[in-house]
Amino acid sequence: MPPVSVDAENPQTSLLKRLEEILQALPDPVFSGRLRKVYVAAAAAIGRLSDMDLVKYETPVVDSSPDLSLWEEMAPVIRDTVMDVNALLNVIREQFPAQPPGGGADTVSRAANEAGRSRGASGQDPTAVLQDAMQQLALGVTQLGEAMRNPSVVSDRWTLLAEIQRFRARFREQVGNLVYETASTFSEVSRAQVVPGHEAEVKAAVTVRAITSDLARILASRLNKVKEAEPEDVQWNAQQLQTELDAFGRTAAYRNLRAQDKRHIVEMRAEVGRLAILPSPGREDLLKVVGELEGFVRGLSAVNQRQVLIIHDREVWASCGVRLERALSLVDADEAGAAKLLAEAVGMGQALYGRESELDTFLRKARKQPLAQLTGVELRVSIEAFQGLLAQLDVM
């Protein structure tokens, strides 16, 4: 039986292909080995900081009373968060210990850098980048400890969840930056090529945007129905809204929301539930709740401003544009080829769903159309329509 590799037993130790290529291309195998250990530890930290599902710690209601018992539930999560970050810090300290300025070790290190042994192609010193990143992570651990000693944080379930979620997300971002910025000193790379977990983070953000966009559309429709409802139909609308919110609560988008956003939804869901069991709920009361919900969910479109989505959308937008230009140039000579390119572009463009309402309408309709089979005027019109919608997006 062939031996099982360490990477096979622990997938978190596997590095992305481009990162492996960079390490293998380094002229100094000793330095490469030290840096590899840091990257493996970084991948493991990102994996462990990403796999905590906080949903089980949430409550279906919002209670402002002290909840000190939650500390016992969350203490292991907080401990593990600190341990995961410290494990990476220990590897960096071991492999790239800070040298006192002017000391003998510092002189040797500078000589090695000048010889090109550990300085990247960009001229930056990856060791300096690592030291800066280490300081930021260590500061974050200190700040987490201070936050967890704040009575106003640890006595409120939702505030505590929000703080833990915020720190874990920030640690993931900082570790990802550590990998990307050090790898960038050796070669021009994208985050997707070298940062562990980057693809999953982008997918989660795209999912949140798409599903919350659909929820906003559902709520807008429900708002209109409540406005037009007869008095005897108000309770039915409240019950339908309750069902719609419960369905949203089971989605991946809900699980990936920030705790403070979940808190608002839980509060409003509780009010909807109260109205749904009343024999004759007031129309104005339900209108107020639906209106607040619809406005709040539309506000979640701020996810578009996350750096991870800005970069993603720019890349998708450019790739779609290239395919549409090629499709338009082929539409007269090769309709089948043009239609195939249109279908590819629209398929890629689905990742932009939630950016803009007119684009969303086009993408929803396109899901039901056999785009690869379009011909003639319909094909040209579809290509130009998609081009026009993409041109209206502000992605730069």
Side-chain angles (χ1 to χ4, degrees):
M1 180 177 179
V4 179
S5 69
V6 174
D7 285 0
E9 291 180 337
N10 183 6
Q12 290 179 335
T13 65
S14 300
L15 301 180
L16 294 175
K17 180 181 177 182
R18 184 70 183 108
L19 203 53
E20 285 283 6
E21 292 173 350
I22 290 173
L23 289 170
Q24 292 171 9
L26 293 180
D28 184 348
V30 174
F31 178 82
S32 175
R34 292 160 59 202
L35 190 57
R36 179 187 297 278
K37 290 179 180 179
V38 172
Y39 286 161
V40 168
I46 289 175
R48 288 193 293 264
L49 289 167
S50 301
D51 63 5
M52 180 61 62
D53 185 3
L54 297 180
V55 172
K56 63 181 179 180
Y57 299 105
E58 297 165 4
T59 57
V61 295
V62 173
D63 186 358
S64 59
S65 62
D67 189 9
L68 294 176
S69 63
L70 177 64
W71 177 255
E72 295 182 2
E73 295 180 63
M74 298 305 299
V77 179
I78 300 164
R79 178 203 63 207
D80 290 346
T81 299
V82 173
M83 290 179 63
D84 292 338
V85 177
N86 280 337
L88 171 60
L89 291 176
N90 288 336
V91 172
I92 298 175
R93 292 188 184 105
E94 179 182 341
Q95 299 301 321
F96 297 93
Q99 308 295 345
D106 178 56
T107 301
V108 173
S109 176
R110 283 188 288 107
N113 285 341
E114 290 169 4
R117 292 179 64 235
S118 59
R119 186 172 293 276
S122 67
Q124 289 183 286
D125 181 3
T127 303
V129 175
L130 284 174
Q131 294 296 328
D132 289 343
M134 185 171 68
Q135 291 178 11
Q136 293 178 20
L137 288 167
L139 177 61
V141 171
T142 301
Q143 292 172 338
L144 173 59
E146 292 172 350
M148 294 304 106
R149 288 191 290 271
N150 186 336
S152 65
V153 171
V154 299
S155 63
D156 180 85
R157 177 176 294 267
W158 286 95
T159 303
L160 180 56
L161 288 174
E163 280 295 273
I164 293 173
Q165 189 181 49
R166 181 174 71 87
F167 274 102
R168 289 173 68 89
R170 191 170 77 178
F171 286 138
R172 288 198 307 272
E173 180 181 2
Q174 289 175 332
V175 176
N177 288 342
L178 177 157
V179 175
Y180 172 70
E181 290 171 8
T182 53
S184 296
T185 66
F186 301 107
S187 178
E188 184 174 337
V189 296
S190 67
R191 290 181 183 273
Q193 289 177 314
V194 296
V195 176
H198 181 79
E199 184 178 345
E201 184 180 2
V202 171
K203 183 178 179 181
V206 168
T207 299
V208 168
R209 176 170 65 188
I211 296 180
T212 54
S213 177
D214 278 338
L215 178 61
R217 187 166 52 88
I218 289 170
L219 290 173
S221 174
R222 181 62 54 199
L223 185 62
N224 289 330
K225 291 176 181 177
V226 174
K227 288 178 181 178
E228 300 170 359
E230 298 296 330
E232 61 270 21
D233 293 329
V234 174
Q235 184 193 42
W236 180 84
N237 274 280
Q239 292 170 343
Q240 291 299 112
L241 177 58
Q242 188 177 32
T243 299
E244 290 159 354
L245 291 176
D246 287 346
F248 174 70
R250 294 189 293 271
T251 64
Y254 177 80
R255 290 194 298 274
N256 288 314
L257 282 181
R258 299 178 304 170
Q260 54 266 47
D261 292 333
K262 292 181 182 180
R263 180 174 194 160
H264 289 303
I265 291 177
V266 168
E267 286 177 331
M268 289 183 273
R269 165 63 177 80
E271 179 60 17
V272 172
R274 185 187 69 80
L275 293 174
I277 62 175
L278 293 178
S280 300
R283 184 208 307 270
E284 293 305 315
D285 291 336
L286 185 56
L287 280 174
K288 179 182 177 183
V289 176
V290 181
E292 290 178 356
L293 259 172
E294 195 259 350
F296 174 75
V297 172
R298 289 208 179 278
L300 294 178
S301 63
V303 69
N304 285 318
Q305 303 307 313
R306 287 187 58 190
Q307 187 66 19
V308 68
L309 273 187
I310 291 174
I311 296 172
H312 164 270
D313 291 353
R314 193 174 295 152
E315 292 174 350
V316 172
W317 179 84
S319 296
C320 289
V322 169
R323 282 167 173 76
L324 290 175
E325 287 182 8
R326 289 175 57 198
L328 199 57
S329 68
L330 290 175
V331 72
D332 292 326
D334 182 6
E335 285 190 340
K340 181 181 178 181
L341 287 167
L342 171 62
E344 289 177 1
V346 172
M348 297 178 65
Q350 294 293 339
L352 297 173
Y353 189 84
R355 279 281 317 218
E356 198 275 331
S357 59
E358 289 186 15
L359 176 62
D360 290 351
T361 299
F362 176 88
L363 292 173
R364 283 197 303 273
K365 290 180 178 178
R367 293 170 192 165
K368 304 174 183 178
Q369 288 182 296
L371 297 177
Q373 300 174 21
L374 295 183
T375 59
V377 175
E378 189 177 12
L379 174 59
R380 180 181 291 276
V381 168
S382 297
I383 294 172
E384 293 176 345
F386 193 21
Q387 280 184 318
L389 290 169
L390 291 177
Q392 295 175 22
L393 293 183
D394 182 14
V395 297
M396 305 309 289

